[in-house]
Amino acid sequence: MGQHHAHDHHDHDHGHDHGQNHDHAHGHGHHHGPGHVHAPASFGRAFAIGIALNTGFVLIEGGYGFLTDSVALLADAGHNLSDVLGLVVAWAAATLGQRRPTARFTYGLRSSSILAALFNAVFLLVAVGAIALEAVQRFSAPAPVPGLTVTIVALVGIAVNGITAWLFASGRKGDLNIRGAYLHMLADAAVSAGVVVAGLVILWTGWTWVDPLTSLVIVAVIVAGTWGLLRDSVVLSLDAVPPGIDPADVRRCLAERPGVSEVHDLHVWPMSTTETALTAHLVMPAGHPGNAFLNDCAATLRRRFGIAHVTLQVELAGGPACALAPDHVV
C-alpha cells in the first residue's frame, strides 16, 4: 500500500520532509470560488490603513460623544473601537498563517484565521449587546442631543468605514477572515449612516428619543449580518467540510478515477479560511498505479473543488480489511 501527499505551494514554502511515496503537485489552487485571495500578501496594507483610520476616528467620535452626551455617537465610537480590535486580530491571524510548520504545529498556524473569524463574530455580537443595553436605558431618561454635531461626526464615520470596507471588498468571498473584517467595517458604515439620520431628525423635530431608537435599529441590522459569519466560523472551527464543497461530489470524483473500486475514510476539512485538505483511502485491485495517477487526482481535486492539500492511501483488494473502512469509524 502506498501513500501520496500533495499540496499547493505558495510563496511561503513549507520545507516538508518528503517520504518515498510523497510527491508534490505544484500550482496555485483556489478555495471553492473565483474570489480566492491570500490575505497576508494582499491585505496587509488594507489592515494597516483600516486600523489607523479607525483609531483616529474613535478618538474624535468618542470625545464628541462625551461632550454632546449622545448615546448614538458613544455607541458608534465603542463599536468602532471593537472593530479596531477585530482588525488587529484578523491581521494577526493572517500574518500567523504565513508561519512555517513546526514539529508541534505541523500545519503551521493557518487555522488561526478561523479562530479570528469566530472571535470577530462573537466580539461584534457582545459589542452590539452593550449598545442595545445603553439605548434601552436612555429611553427612560432621554438627554438633549445636538443634532448638527452628531450628524457631522457621523458623516466622517461613513467615509472612514466605507473606505476601510472597500479595501477588503475583493477578498470577502474567498476568505472568511477577510469577510469578518469586511462585515465589521460595513456594519460600522451602517451605524454611522443611522446616526446621521438620527442627527437630522433631532435637528428638525427635537425628538431626542430618536437617538436611542436609531441605536436599536442599527443593532438589529448588525446582528442579522453577523449571524452568517458566526455560523460559518463555528462550522469551520469544528472541521466541517467548507461551504461550497459537496462531499458526495468529492467521493464520486475519486470513485470515478480509473482502477478505483472503492473509496473510504474520506475526510475534507479546512486548514484555514482559504485552504482545504483531504485524506482518503482508495481500493485499487490492480495495485498501486504510480505517482502520475496520484498527481492527476491531486490536480483534479484542486481544479474542481479548490482542495490543494491532498493525501491518498492506496489499498489492494482482498484483505486484510482496512479498520477505517466502515463509514461510522473515524
Side-chain angles (χ1 to χ4, degrees):
M1 92 176 43
Q3 287 183 300
H4 170 72
H5 176 81
H7 70 77
D8 224 0
H9 280 242
H10 307 294
D11 293 337
H12 48 283
D13 194 18
H14 299 154
H16 290 287
D17 286 331
H18 304 302
Q20 284 184 339
N21 296 325
H22 287 62
D23 187 81
H24 284 251
H26 293 256
H28 290 275
H30 62 277
H31 178 66
H32 66 267
H36 173 68
V37 179
H38 284 289
S42 304
F43 291 96
R45 194 160 147 236
F47 279 119
I49 293 169
I51 289 168
L53 282 174
N54 280 274
T55 302
F57 183 60
V58 164
L59 295 174
I60 294 167
E61 189 175 35
Y64 274 106
F66 279 115
L67 289 172
T68 61
D69 202 28
S70 165
V71 68
L73 271 185
L74 285 173
D76 197 16
H79 182 59
N80 269 291
L81 186 61
S82 78
D83 281 349
V84 171
L85 180 57
L87 285 175
V88 169
V89 169
W91 192 8
T95 306
L96 287 173
Q98 292 187 96
R99 291 284 184 89
R100 287 174 175 270
T102 65
R104 180 173 288 275
F105 297 100
T106 56
Y107 281 125
L109 297 173
R110 289 172 163 158
S111 59
S112 58
S113 60
I114 298 172
L115 293 178
L118 180 59
F119 172 86
N120 253 325
V122 171
F123 196 69
L124 188 51
L125 290 173
V126 170
V128 296
I131 292 170
L133 181 63
E134 176 66 26
V136 169
Q137 290 172 346
R138 192 58 74 97
F139 271 117
S140 57
V145 178
L148 184 61
T149 305
V150 170
T151 303
I152 292 170
V153 174
L155 279 170
V156 176
I158 293 177
V160 168
N161 296 310
I163 290 167
T164 311
W166 174 75
L167 291 171
F168 293 109
S170 64
R172 71 185 186 277
K173 290 181 181 174
D175 184 346
L176 196 68
N177 188 32
I178 296 299
R179 185 174 141 212
Y182 172 77
L183 281 178
H184 244 137
M185 305 305 13
L186 202 63
D188 266 2
V191 170
S192 297
V195 173
V196 167
V197 172
L200 291 174
V201 171
I202 291 166
L203 265 179
W204 292 330
T205 64
W207 297 340
T208 52
W209 53 264
V210 171
D211 188 57
L213 178 66
T214 303
S215 294
L216 289 180
V217 172
I218 292 164
V219 163
V221 171
I222 294 171
V223 169
T226 307
W227 195 252
L229 176 67
L230 179 66
R231 184 192 62 236
D232 287 350
S233 55
V234 167
V235 165
L236 289 187
S237 67
L238 294 173
D239 283 346
V241 178
I245 297 178
D246 184 345
D249 285 347
V250 176
R251 182 181 290 274
R252 200 175 303 115
C253 174
L254 288 171
E256 289 170 352
R257 300 286 97 193
V260 175
S261 65
E262 184 201 331
V263 178
H264 60 258
D265 198 37
L266 172 64
H267 298 281
V268 182
W269 72 98
M271 293 165 59
S272 72
T273 50
T274 59
E275 295 168 288
T276 306
L278 172 149
T279 59
H281 293 194
L282 308 180
V283 178
M284 306 190 71
H288 197 292
N291 286 0
F293 168 86
L294 297 170
N295 286 341
D296 179 63
C297 282
T300 301
L301 289 167
R302 185 170 60 245
R303 185 178 66 252
R304 284 184 55 180
F305 304 103
I307 300 172
H309 192 116
V310 174
T311 305
L312 300 172
Q313 178 166 303
V314 174
E315 299 173 357
L316 301 177
C322 177
L324 296 173
D327 284 341
H328 68 276
V329 177
V330 176

